[in-house]
Amino acid sequence: MLSLALRTLRTRWTAFTGSFVALALGVALLTVTGLVLASSLSSTPAVRPAARVVVTAHDTLRVPTPAGDRTARLAHPRAIPAATVAELRRLGPVTVDRSPAGVHRVGVDADPAAVREAVGRTAEVLTGDARRHADPGYARDREALTAMHALLGTAGGVTAFVSVFVVASAFAFAVERRRREFALLRTAGAGPGQIRRCVLAEALAVGVLASATGCVLGSYGAPLLARRMADEGLAPAWFVLGNATWPYHAAFWTGLSVALCGAAAASWRAGRTAPAEALREASADSGVLTPGRLLCGTALLLTAAVTLALSLTGDPGDLLHRKTYVSRPMLLITAAALLSPLVLRPLVRLLAPLPGVCSLLIRENTSAGVRRTAALAAPVLVTVALAGSLLGATATLNRAKAAEARDRTTAAFVVTPADGRGFDERTLRRLRAVPDTVVSPSSSTAVHVLEDGVALIRSEARAAAPGALAATSRLPLAAGRVSDLDDDSIIVNEEWQRHRVGDRVRVWLGDGTPRTLRIAAVMTTGTGGNGVHLTPRNAPGAAADRVDVALAAGADPRAVATALHRAAGHHRVLTREAWLRATHPETHRTTRLGLLLVLGIALLYTGISVANTTVMAASGRVRDLAALRLAGATRGQVLRLTGAEALTVVAAGALLGLLVTAVNLAGMWMALALLSVRPPLALPWQALGITVAACALLAVVSAVVPAALALRRRAVDPAGFRD
């Protein structure tokens, strides 16, 4: 069987080209992402502080629990006491890097033990590699590395998913095109097991060659990707590729497993080929939707429905997380692709309803070759559904966040600091003095709460005076009143474990101060931006970074605007609408690039799959084309018919992809509705149009070019043609 498989590869190399390219590309991408990911996991930001000893304020909250200490970074660390700084100056020259919390670099000659003795418990002393924690770039580098992990992990997952899909489809279609060949082998005495082993041996040979090729390509691509990510700011500037070898092993064996798994179902179907198949003359498909395909598709469809229902009833907010709305659509997409033969015939008839020979031929050809139609429509479905689901999810979330901000903000004007550092007290006094206004300065801070006795949870918060807050905003309250907020209370949201009005919760403020506060009101969860509200007294160290201004009854907006500009000085005064436009939520750059990378991978695989399917189908359609020529059709008419068939199938796949997109986004919309947000669904029509146009172009070119080459032969009796 191995020698037969090798001979088959030599004589039918066009049938395996698509599988080889898809596998090689997939392994190359896995190798590239694996090498860069391994380097990012082992990389550590460099030590930048030049001083031998660095003294920092305590910026870490430590809370003891039965499971050990839980730590979190404080929003507003307390400044190093002046007395401590004076003691440090006695030991050597002291350089202050930041204030008010301060990072103090003590001279290279200072003894670390003496510095620790002078500091005591008032600050933290860093030496050696620990000094990197005092560098503001350290946190940025760590965030960049974390974003890289998410980006590369998503790209690798989608690559594996789509490559399995394409390879399995390619082998299934190749087996279908070789029914007579397998039937002849059965007639010659080959058993079902031998046929299956032959198909698996072919997959093994293709898998080994393609995986090895992919590893070689990946070794050249990884340094290019690492350099490009550093240049684009997606990785720290110092990031370089390491010497890890495990990504090569992981990519190679993954590729080989993909080839064997993709061919497993095809080999089973090939083994069931009866010897009587050798006598078949008609090319019409029968039994396209096999019991295994129906069972897998139904199981995936039910899984998608059940998991969606569980999320909606248990934790709707989980559907808004990036890793969820990137991975969850895969279930529904795969189910739709597996079950697509059920709806392709009626869908094609719906798309080609016009009377005439051309429409009739399109309907009958696509209906007779459902397996070919499904193999061509499936990658289009996957690409359109991925584009619509991923880009639509981010756009819908952005709309939801914008709607929340619009509903919460009732101020006529918003004043923002020009330098981003906050307002000084003199500016705030001038703003408060503007007549016919209610001025509400607020500051960003954070609080921590211990849930279940072991989980230290951070919540973003805003601090503002209760009366002014109620006049300039409309909080989405589920219970309680804003006016009940005072220095002994807090406004929380429904995500908190304890969120009943009147209950008391123990929290740690932005500077680490522990407080036990009464819950004055509870907000709905929303998209996750409904944090916590406190009074300024419970936000020590937080400077006012935003001033909302409401108009008194009968106030002249123009006069107030003029007075605000005069009082604000160089700071910016924006109307409510201008501020909402300036702060409209946008998809994070790393997330956007990650989604574009995912869609680029999907579109590339779509091209491979479409080209592979049409080229393999071309030899089986030579008789059909010859019959059309003998019936009087011109060469141009035959080519136009071929292109029209391809466009019809692409349209069918695109419609199925839009349906899957609508279902996926409907689940997100229901989650938002349960979280008290009801934005309109956002379909990325431009991206969908570009995706469908690209798929249509690929399909038409891949269909017309082989047909044109076949038509160069003289139109003779179609019975004389051989596959």
Side-chain angles (χ1 to χ4, degrees):
M1 280 297 129
L2 181 59
S3 60
L4 179 62
L6 294 177
R7 292 191 184 97
T8 302
L9 289 177
R10 286 199 302 268
T11 58
R12 291 185 175 269
W13 62 270
T14 56
F16 298 96
T17 300
S19 300
F20 178 86
V21 174
L23 268 178
L25 178 63
V27 172
L29 290 173
L30 289 176
T31 303
V32 169
T33 55
L35 288 172
V36 179
L37 184 61
S39 301
S40 66
L41 290 172
S42 60
S43 297
T44 303
V47 180
R48 293 188 179 93
R52 183 184 178 189
V53 183
V54 177
V55 180
T56 68
H58 288 298
D59 60 353
T60 302
L61 172 66
R62 297 185 182 275
V63 178
T65 72
D69 287 353
R70 294 293 182 261
T71 61
R73 188 169 295 274
L74 294 172
H76 308 291
R78 296 176 182 174
I80 299 176
T84 302
V85 177
E87 288 292 328
L88 292 175
R89 294 191 187 280
R90 297 179 181 177
L91 300 176
V94 175
T95 303
V96 181
D97 285 352
R98 298 199 307 269
S99 62
V103 172
H104 296 67
R105 299 182 181 182
V106 186
V108 178
D109 296 333
D111 180 30
V115 172
R116 288 191 175 91
E117 184 179 355
V119 168
R121 296 185 177 181
T122 62
E124 187 173 358
V125 179
L126 304 177
T127 59
D129 289 343
R131 293 173 296 163
R132 64 170 60 95
H133 296 283
D135 194 324
Y138 176 80
R140 292 194 299 268
D141 289 348
R142 295 305 306 172
E143 291 177 1
L145 292 175
T146 301
M148 285 178 62
H149 301 162
L151 173 63
L152 297 174
T154 301
V158 172
T159 298
F161 167 76
V162 182
S163 61
V164 168
F165 191 89
V166 170
V167 171
S169 177
F171 271 103
F173 191 66
V175 166
E176 175 60 24
R177 294 296 93 188
R178 297 164 62 191
R179 283 181 300 180
R180 293 183 184 177
E181 175 186 329
F182 292 136
L184 287 173
L185 289 174
R186 292 296 313 279
T187 303
Q194 290 176 308
I195 299 294
R196 296 188 185 105
R197 288 193 294 274
C198 179
V199 174
L200 289 176
E202 294 169 356
L204 178 64
V206 172
V208 170
L209 293 175
S211 298
T213 303
C215 288
V216 173
L217 294 176
S219 66
Y220 289 100
L224 299 177
L225 178 63
R227 192 179 312 117
R228 184 63 181 269
M229 294 185 76
D231 293 340
E232 293 294 330
L234 299 176
W238 47 263
F239 180 74
V240 293
L241 203 65
N243 298 317
T245 58
W246 65 261
Y248 291 105
H249 296 281
F252 179 87
W253 293 110
T254 299
L256 187 56
S257 300
V258 165
L260 294 177
C261 292
S267 68
W268 177 260
R269 184 173 179 82
R272 294 178 60 191
T273 304
E277 292 285 334
L279 303 177
R280 288 187 55 158
E281 290 294 336
S283 60
D285 290 331
S286 61
V288 175
L289 193 63
T290 60
R293 183 168 184 164
L294 179 63
L295 178 63
C296 292
T298 304
L300 288 173
L301 187 63
L302 291 176
T303 302
V306 170
T307 54
L308 175 62
L310 291 176
S311 296
L312 291 175
T313 56
D315 183 14
D318 180 63
L319 295 174
L320 309 184
H321 297 159
R322 182 177 62 181
K323 65 178 181 180
T324 302
Y325 67 69
V326 168
S327 60
R328 185 176 293 276
M330 305 299 181
L331 286 175
L332 193 57
I333 290 172
T334 308
L338 290 174
L339 299 177
S340 60
L342 286 175
V343 296
L344 278 176
R345 277 195 177 101
L347 190 57
V348 167
R349 294 183 182 276
L350 179 66
L351 292 171
L354 298 177
V357 176
C358 185
S359 295
L360 175 64
L361 288 175
I362 291 174
R363 290 194 299 267
E364 296 306 320
N365 285 340
T366 52
S367 298
V370 177
R371 194 176 302 278
R372 181 184 70 245
T373 303
L376 184 59
V380 178
L381 183 158
V382 171
T383 306
V384 172
L386 276 177
S389 299
L390 300 185
L391 297 180
T394 56
T396 299
L397 278 177
N398 289 337
R399 282 192 180 183
K401 293 176 181 178
E404 283 184 320
R406 181 173 293 276
D407 292 339
R408 284 199 303 260
T409 305
T410 60
F413 298 95
V414 178
V415 186
T416 58
D419 55 5
R421 296 182 180 179
F423 299 98
D424 55 53
E425 191 58 38
R426 180 180 299 178
T427 302
L428 293 178
R429 284 197 299 268
R430 290 200 305 264
L431 291 172
R432 290 191 181 99
V434 174
D436 298 328
T437 62
V438 178
V439 177
S440 175
S442 61
S443 56
S444 300
T445 184
V447 297
H448 290 85
V449 64
L450 193 66
E451 294 186 354
D452 296 323
V454 292
L456 190 61
I457 306 298
R458 177 188 172 109
S459 292
E460 301 302 320
R462 290 207 71 83
L469 176 64
T472 58
S473 64
R474 182 173 53 245
L475 299 184
L477 295 183
R481 297 176 300 183
V482 176
S483 57
D484 291 341
L485 179 66
D486 56 27
D487 291 340
D488 190 47
S489 62
I490 185 174
I491 296 177
V492 302
N493 60 62
E494 291 177 325
E495 275 192 315
W496 279 47
Q497 188 177 48
R498 300 186 64 181
H499 56 266
R500 188 174 63 181
V501 173
D503 285 357
R504 301 191 72 84
V505 291
R506 182 172 176 80
V507 300
W508 286 263
L509 304 180
D511 67 342
T513 301
R515 291 285 319 265
T516 300
L517 301 175
R518 174 181 54 84
I519 297 178
V522 179
M523 295 182 291
T524 58
T525 302
T527 61
N530 297 333
V532 169
H533 286 270
L534 303 160
T535 61
R537 183 178 177 183
N538 288 321
D545 56 7
R546 172 179 154 187
V547 178
D548 292 0
V549 181
L551 299 179
D556 182 5
R558 293 185 179 180
V560 170
T562 301
L564 286 175
H565 279 286
R566 189 164 49 246
H570 65 287
H571 299 296
R572 294 173 294 180
V573 179
L574 302 174
T575 63
R576 175 177 177 271
E577 294 300 324
W579 181 79
L580 289 172
R581 287 194 301 270
T583 59
H584 190 281
E586 298 291 343
T587 304
H588 192 272
R589 180 169 176 264
T590 302
T591 301
R592 183 172 64 254
L593 291 176
L595 295 180
L596 292 178
L597 176 62
V598 167
L599 296 180
I601 292 172
L603 188 59
L604 184 59
Y605 272 109
T606 295
I608 295 172
S609 181
V610 167
N612 185 59
T613 300
T614 52
V615 169
M616 283 196 296
S619 60
R621 303 201 63 192
V622 172
R623 293 180 179 179
D624 297 338
L625 300 179
L628 287 173
R629 294 285 280 122
L630 289 173
T634 65
R635 187 170 183 270
Q637 288 175 322
V638 174
L639 293 180
R640 285 195 294 272
L641 174 63
T642 304
E645 287 182 16
L647 286 177
T648 303
V649 176
V650 169
L655 285 178
L656 290 177
L658 283 175
L659 178 62
V660 172
T661 296
V663 174
N664 281 323
L665 295 184
M668 175 173 283
W669 186 88
M670 288 187 285
L672 289 169
L674 291 173
L675 297 172
S676 304
V677 185
R678 290 179 174 83
L681 289 181
L683 284 172
W685 291 114
Q686 182 180 4
L688 288 174
I690 294 174
T691 301
V692 174
C695 293
L697 179 62
L698 288 169
V700 170
V701 171
S702 300
V704 170
V705 170
L709 294 176
L711 288 174
R712 295 176 62 183
R713 303 175 64 177
R714 184 178 178 182
V716 295
D717 183 2
F721 285 90
R722 294 291 181 265
D723 286 348

